[in-house]
């Protein structure tokens, strides 16, 4: 009686603890997502004529080094007090450092060659400017949540305007007959703010933010903090200087003057469409080609699977189930190994861990894409995508633990706590170890991309405080469920596997199986890599979702086809083979990343190269567990289906 009472109290306590944990999870989930999605500045703002517009500065970025730096790292003019804007987790992980600046406009009030400040460069500051010009660093600014862009015209003769993200710190060139190239700074910014006016209220909303950077060697007779008169400027004509004006060369211990123009232009673009110009890409035809290419692969595989299921397997099952069949007739093909096909594989706990991790990645990817399709993760919401991925990964630990425990119990495993511990730590530990090493290298370069200690502590807290308990909770719930019964009984003594033909070699079939899933996504992979490593905006989540769906179908079908051929060859060791068949597509992804590094990027620094391949290794491993899990689950369903359809004596 006391034992029963104790068990009742224990389950009651666990249930109460579970409800409390879910309440805390939902609260944290809501708070994080509200902070991630609805940051200040995302909602439209109406400005009256004369209202102040404050320009914020963001990181200095370069596609050559992939190492962002704080805007004031170069010693640009600072306001009296530098303050950081509210940043979410995703912004910090991306290296964004959004701060206030000295640039302030008045709505619809044009200003010409307004003096911003003057600075005097020491030897270290001058060297920093030259180094950043060598590495093609660009300055990023923000006005009303719109990034500054440099307008360009296409060279194809259409004259269509396109945008470049941010403007260059400076440039190199020969001057005054010198043999060596000199370094010049873009110290004059010609801003253009485009606005859409509401005729009823008279207010206006900012719908565009352009800049043309220029370099001028300013001169003045007397410096006045409030009203300095430049001798290199002709009043009344914005950005019109003497014809013999020279650019501002970067020389140590020389004074530099920063100036800017600002003009306002009315636009028909509405606030809801103001990001269209920034997101415009000339790749729609290529994307449709990617979709058509992937669909052709899926249709080809679907035809093969349909032929196998509707003809071959149907005929096999009909023959196997004929009651008039001679009892002495020997069984052949995949039915012959019915007593071994559900024999647990070697390292079954490791397979369970990988399947659970794959479920976690799959759930995170699907929910993230759904949020992106609904518009919550648009590029206007800085850091929202990264924040959503981190938080969804944490909360999907519940499904990782549940699925791995269910599979582990089907394999008749007993030490579910050890298996749950591996599920909670294996992939995150691999990811965190690489991330920690890369972060140390970035910190050694004094880059703003280094994750601060406080953010690192938050990540560890999310891992140990939420993800790990959720994995154990999922494992506890999954292991309490009754074990999944196999359709047929397993023999005590395993059969000998006959000699396999060369084309059924595990290495050959595994490498072949990964080609088609990779082929279904490699074109879209180019755009994803471009958006990450070349700082382009990625917004076509509709295409990405379609390609992701095609990837799921392709992984499932190619694994089923190859597993059927394997079983027909009387080889029952299909568990790991099914996982590795579609999972091998990650190998092709990593090989493509090497090609992309050599062909598309201009990275020359060792740290930048290590940073690139470190993150791509994480990507490849995540892609491996994702595609491997999809193929394994599809194959598990297929094998159980065909063996439950035949009559076994």
């Amino acid at each position: 009686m006391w034992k029963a009472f104790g068990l009742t109290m224990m389950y009651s306590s666990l249930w109460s603890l579970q409800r409390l944990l879910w309440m805390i999870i939902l609260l944290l989930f809501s708070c994080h997502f509200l902070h991630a999605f609805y940051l200040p500045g995302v909602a439209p703002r109406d400005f009256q004529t004369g209202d102040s517009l404050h320009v914020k500065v963001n990181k200095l970025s370069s596609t050559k080094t992939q190492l962002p730096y704080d805007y004031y790292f170069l010693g640009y003019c600072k306001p009296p007090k530098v303050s950081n804007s509210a940043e979410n987790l995703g912004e910090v992980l991306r290296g964004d450092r959004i701060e206030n600046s000295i640039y302030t406009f008045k709505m619809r009030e044009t200003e010409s060659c307004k003096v911003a400040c003057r600075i005097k460069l020491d030897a270290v500051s001058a060297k920093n400017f030259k180094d950043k010009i060598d590495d093609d660093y660009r300055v990023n600014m923000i006005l009303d949540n719109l990034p500054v862009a440099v307008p360009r015209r296409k060279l194809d003769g259409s004259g269509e305007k396109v945008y470049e993200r941010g403007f260059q710190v400076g440039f190199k060139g020969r001057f005054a007959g010198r043999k060596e190239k000199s370094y010049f700074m873009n110290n004059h910014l010609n801003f253009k703010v485009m606005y859409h006016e509401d005729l009823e209220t008279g207010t206006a909303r900012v719908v565009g933010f352009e800049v043309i950077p220029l370099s001028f060697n300013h001169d003045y007779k007397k410096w006045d903090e409030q009203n300095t008169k430049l001798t290199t400027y002709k009043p009344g004509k914005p950005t019109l200087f003497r014809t013999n004006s020279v650019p501002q060369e970067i020389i140590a211990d020389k004074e530099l003057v920063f100036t800017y123009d600002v003009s306002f232009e009315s636009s028909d673009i509405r606030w809801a469409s103001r990001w269209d110009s920034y997101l415009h890409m000339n790749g729609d035809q290529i994307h449709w080609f990617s979709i058509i290419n992937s669909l052709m692969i899926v249709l080809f595989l679907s035809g093969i699977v349909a032929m196998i299921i509707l003809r071959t397997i149907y005929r096999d099952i009909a023959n196997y189930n004929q009651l008039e069949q001679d009892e002495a007739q020997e069984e052949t093909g995949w039915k012959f190994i019915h007593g071994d096909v559900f024999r647990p594989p070697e390292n079954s706990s490791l397979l369970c861990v990988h399947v659970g991790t794959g479920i976690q990645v799959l759930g995170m990817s699907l929910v993230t894409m759904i949020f992106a399709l609904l518009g919550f993760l648009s590029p206007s919401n800085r850091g929202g995508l990264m924040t959503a991925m981190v938080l969804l990964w944490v909360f999907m630990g519940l499904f990782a633990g549940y699925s791995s425990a269910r599979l582990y119990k089907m394999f008749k495993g007993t030490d579910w706590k050890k298996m749950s511990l591996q599920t909670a730590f294996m992939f995150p530990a691999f990811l965190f170890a690489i991330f920690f090493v890369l972060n140390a290298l970035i910190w050694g370069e004094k880059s703003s991309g280094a994750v601060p200690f406080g953010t690192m502590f938050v990540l560890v807290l999310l891992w140990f405080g939420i993800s790990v308990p959720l994995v154990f909770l999922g494992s506890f719930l999954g292991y309490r469920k009754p074990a999944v019964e196999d359709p047929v009984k397993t023999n005590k003594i395993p059969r000998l596997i006959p000699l396999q033909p060369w084309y059924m070699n595990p290495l050959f079939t595994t490498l072949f199986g990964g080609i088609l899933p990779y082929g279904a996504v490699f074109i879209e992979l180019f755009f994803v890599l471009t958006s990450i490593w070349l700082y382009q905006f990625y917004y076509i989540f509709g295409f990405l979702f379609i390609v992701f769906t095609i990837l799921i179908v392709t992984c499932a079908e190619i694994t089923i086809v190859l597993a059927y051929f394997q079983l027909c060859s009387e080889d029952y060791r299909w568990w790991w083979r099914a996982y590795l068949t579609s999972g091998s597509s990650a190998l092709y992804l990593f090989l493509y990343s090497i090609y992309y590094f050599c062909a598309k990027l201009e990275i020359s620094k060792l740290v930048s190269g290590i940073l690139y391949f470190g993150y791509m290794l994480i990507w490849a491993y995540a892609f491996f567990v994702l595609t491997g899990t999809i193929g394994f689950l599809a194959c598990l369903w297929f094998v159980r289906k065909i063996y439950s359809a035949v009559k076994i004596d």
Side-chain angles (χ1 to χ4, degrees):
M1 180 176 125
W2 288 106
K3 185 178 180 180
F5 178 74
L7 288 174
T8 303
M9 291 298 295
M10 183 185 70
Y11 282 115
S12 177
S13 300
L14 285 174
W15 178 244
S16 301
L17 180 63
Q18 180 182 344
R19 286 190 297 176
L20 178 61
L21 181 61
W22 273 112
M23 290 176 61
I24 296 174
I25 289 171
L26 290 175
L27 179 61
L28 291 173
F29 189 80
S30 303
C31 292
H32 276 293
F33 267 85
L34 285 174
H35 181 60
F37 295 145
Y38 301 105
L39 288 176
V42 176
R45 297 179 59 189
D46 297 320
F47 295 95
Q48 300 281 353
T49 301
D51 287 349
S52 297
L53 300 175
H54 301 284
V55 177
K56 297 180 180 180
V57 291
N58 199 352
K59 60 188 177 184
L60 307 172
S61 59
S62 169
T63 58
K64 281 189 174 182
T65 67
Q66 303 295 331
L67 296 171
Y69 284 88
D70 184 272
Y71 173 80
Y72 296 110
F73 175 82
L74 288 182
Y76 280 116
C77 298
K78 296 182 179 180
K81 182 180 179 181
V82 177
S83 59
N84 295 324
S85 300
E87 296 176 344
N88 57 26
L89 181 61
E91 287 180 289
V92 177
L93 294 177
R94 291 173 62 239
D96 289 340
R97 299 295 182 267
I98 301 172
E99 300 162 314
N100 59 327
S101 72
I102 57 175
Y103 299 102
T104 302
F105 313 146
K106 297 292 184 181
M107 189 64 180
R108 304 192 205 181
E109 293 184 7
T110 301
E111 293 183 282
S112 301
C113 202
K114 184 174 181 180
V115 177
C117 66
R118 64 173 178 173
I119 61 172
K120 190 174 184 180
L121 298 178
D122 55 20
V124 176
S125 298
K127 183 179 182 303
N128 286 337
F129 268 105
K130 293 178 181 179
D131 290 342
K132 296 300 175 283
I133 292 175
D134 283 332
D135 293 331
D136 290 341
Y137 270 85
R138 305 181 75 89
V139 181
N140 296 282
M141 294 182 173
I142 300 172
L143 177 65
D144 192 35
N145 202 45
L146 273 182
V148 71
V150 178
R152 302 290 187 193
R153 296 292 177 181
K154 287 186 177 181
L155 300 179
D156 57 1
S158 63
E160 185 180 356
K161 184 168 68 173
V162 294
Y163 282 130
E164 291 182 359
R165 195 171 177 180
F167 61 89
Q168 292 181 329
V169 173
F171 58 93
K172 291 189 297 183
R174 290 184 176 88
F175 177 71
R178 300 177 188 174
K179 294 183 178 181
E180 296 182 356
K181 289 186 177 181
S182 301
Y183 292 83
F184 302 97
M185 179 189 299
N186 287 323
N187 62 327
H188 179 87
L189 301 177
N190 190 355
F191 292 108
K192 179 191 286 186
V193 180
M194 289 170 285
Y195 64 91
H196 181 80
E197 184 179 5
D198 188 341
L199 299 179
E200 295 182 359
T201 61
T203 59
R205 293 177 176 177
V206 176
V207 294
F209 185 36
E210 299 178 359
V211 66
I212 298 178
L214 301 169
S215 181
F216 293 106
N217 188 3
H218 290 300
D219 194 13
Y220 58 90
K221 293 182 179 180
K222 182 180 179 181
W223 181 262
D224 184 355
E225 294 291 343
Q226 302 297 327
N227 191 21
T228 300
K229 302 296 184 181
L230 300 174
T231 59
T232 49
Y233 166 64
K234 292 183 178 181
K237 296 183 179 181
T239 326
L240 185 62
F241 295 81
R242 296 175 182 174
T243 56
N244 61 349
S245 62
V246 294
Q248 177 61 66
E249 186 177 359
I250 300 175
I251 302 176
D253 299 325
K254 183 176 180 180
E255 192 175 71
L256 289 82
V257 178
F258 287 82
T259 57
Y260 65 93
D261 296 340
V262 57
S263 61
F264 292 84
E265 180 181 298
S266 180
S267 174
D268 294 331
I269 300 174
R270 294 186 176 274
W271 188 89
S273 305
R274 64 178 188 163
W275 273 85
D276 291 353
S277 300
Y278 294 85
L279 303 179
H280 178 71
M281 296 178 64
N282 194 27
D284 292 342
Q285 294 181 352
I286 298 177
H287 274 85
W288 281 116
F289 173 75
S290 171
I291 298 296
I292 295 172
N293 173 69
S294 302
L295 285 175
M296 292 301 295
I297 294 175
V298 170
L299 291 175
F300 173 73
L301 286 175
S302 299
I304 296 178
V305 172
M307 182 185 66
I308 292 174
I309 294 177
L310 297 180
R311 295 184 62 186
T312 310
I313 296 180
Y314 180 79
R315 186 182 64 244
D316 290 345
I317 293 175
N319 291 333
Y320 292 154
N321 290 336
Q322 283 182 357
L323 298 178
E324 300 83 9
Q325 186 176 5
D326 186 4
E327 296 181 359
Q329 184 177 350
E330 185 180 0
E331 294 177 345
T332 58
W334 53 268
K335 186 185 178 184
F336 181 65
I337 56 173
H338 64 81
D340 298 276
V341 73
F342 290 103
R343 188 179 304 280
E346 297 180 359
N347 298 321
S348 59
S349 62
L350 184 61
L351 179 61
C352 297
V353 170
H354 276 83
V355 171
T357 304
I359 293 292
Q360 192 172 7
V361 176
L362 178 62
M364 177 199 70
S365 303
L366 282 176
V367 178
T368 300
M369 289 186 191
I370 292 173
F371 275 115
L373 288 173
L374 294 176
F376 291 113
L377 304 179
S378 65
S380 61
N381 182 7
R382 296 183 305 273
L385 180 63
M386 183 71 71
T387 305
M389 292 179 67
V390 172
L391 294 178
L392 286 171
W393 164 263
V394 169
F395 292 110
M396 287 297 166
L398 179 69
F399 300 98
Y402 181 85
S403 55
S404 60
R406 292 283 288 159
L407 186 61
Y408 187 68
K409 192 168 185 178
M410 189 181 75
F411 289 150
K412 298 177 176 57
T414 55
D415 195 359
W416 68 273
K417 294 180 182 178
K418 179 180 178 181
M419 186 275 306
S420 302
L421 192 67
Q422 292 175 340
T423 304
F425 281 90
M426 191 187 70
F427 181 81
F430 171 82
L431 189 150
F432 190 81
I434 295 181
F435 180 74
F436 184 81
V437 172
L438 297 179
N439 193 65
L441 294 175
I442 297 173
W443 179 80
E445 295 291 325
K446 300 179 181 179
S447 169
S448 65
V451 177
F453 174 78
T455 306
M456 192 75 74
F457 178 76
V458 170
L459 293 176
V460 174
L461 185 63
L462 289 173
W463 178 15
F464 283 90
I466 300 180
S467 180
V468 173
L470 283 178
V471 171
F472 273 90
L473 177 61
S475 297
F476 173 75
L477 297 175
Y479 202 77
R480 285 182 60 190
K481 291 280 187 178
V484 179
E485 296 293 335
D486 297 330
V488 293
K489 294 182 179 180
T490 302
N491 298 330
K492 294 183 179 180
I493 301 176
R495 291 180 181 271
L496 291 177
I497 300 174
L499 184 65
Q500 300 291 303
W502 66 268
Y503 54 84
M504 291 307 299
N505 182 276
L507 181 61
F508 177 80
T509 56
T510 297
L511 294 178
F512 175 76
I515 294 177
L516 292 179
Y518 166 75
V521 300
F522 84 97
I523 297 180
E524 195 67 27
L525 178 64
F526 167 80
F527 291 99
V528 174
L529 293 180
T530 300
S531 66
I532 295 174
W533 300 108
L534 295 181
Y535 296 106
Q536 301 293 326
F537 291 112
Y538 189 88
Y539 69 101
I540 39 180
F541 293 103
F543 280 107
L544 185 63
F545 185 78
I546 295 174
V547 171
F548 187 74
T549 304
I550 294 174
L551 174 66
I552 294 175
V553 176
T554 307
C555 289
E557 292 183 341
I558 190 63
T559 307
I560 289 175
V561 170
L562 294 180
Y564 174 75
F565 292 149
Q566 178 185 350
L567 295 178
C568 288
S569 299
E570 300 179 6
D571 185 356
Y572 53 83
R573 299 170 300 182
W574 63 274
W575 300 96
W576 274 108
R577 184 97 64 98
Y579 195 96
L580 297 175
T581 295
S582 55
S584 63
S585 58
L587 173 63
Y588 299 101
L589 183 147
F590 190 76
L591 292 176
Y592 178 78
S593 70
I594 298 176
Y595 164 77
Y596 188 86
F597 178 85
C598 299
K600 301 298 180 180
L601 301 181
E602 300 178 0
I603 294 177
S604 57
K605 289 189 175 182
L606 177 61
V607 173
S608 303
I610 296 174
L611 183 69
Y612 174 83
F613 286 108
Y615 282 124
M616 290 310 301
L617 183 61
I618 294 175
W619 263 53
Y621 189 26
F623 196 73
F624 167 73
V625 297
L626 171 66
T627 54
T629 299
I630 294 170
F632 174 82
L633 295 178
C635 192
L636 178 61
W637 170 84
F638 171 75
V639 173
R640 291 182 60 85
K641 202 73 175 175
I642 62 174
Y643 280 96
S644 62
V646 296
K647 298 176 181 179
I648 306 295
D649 293 332

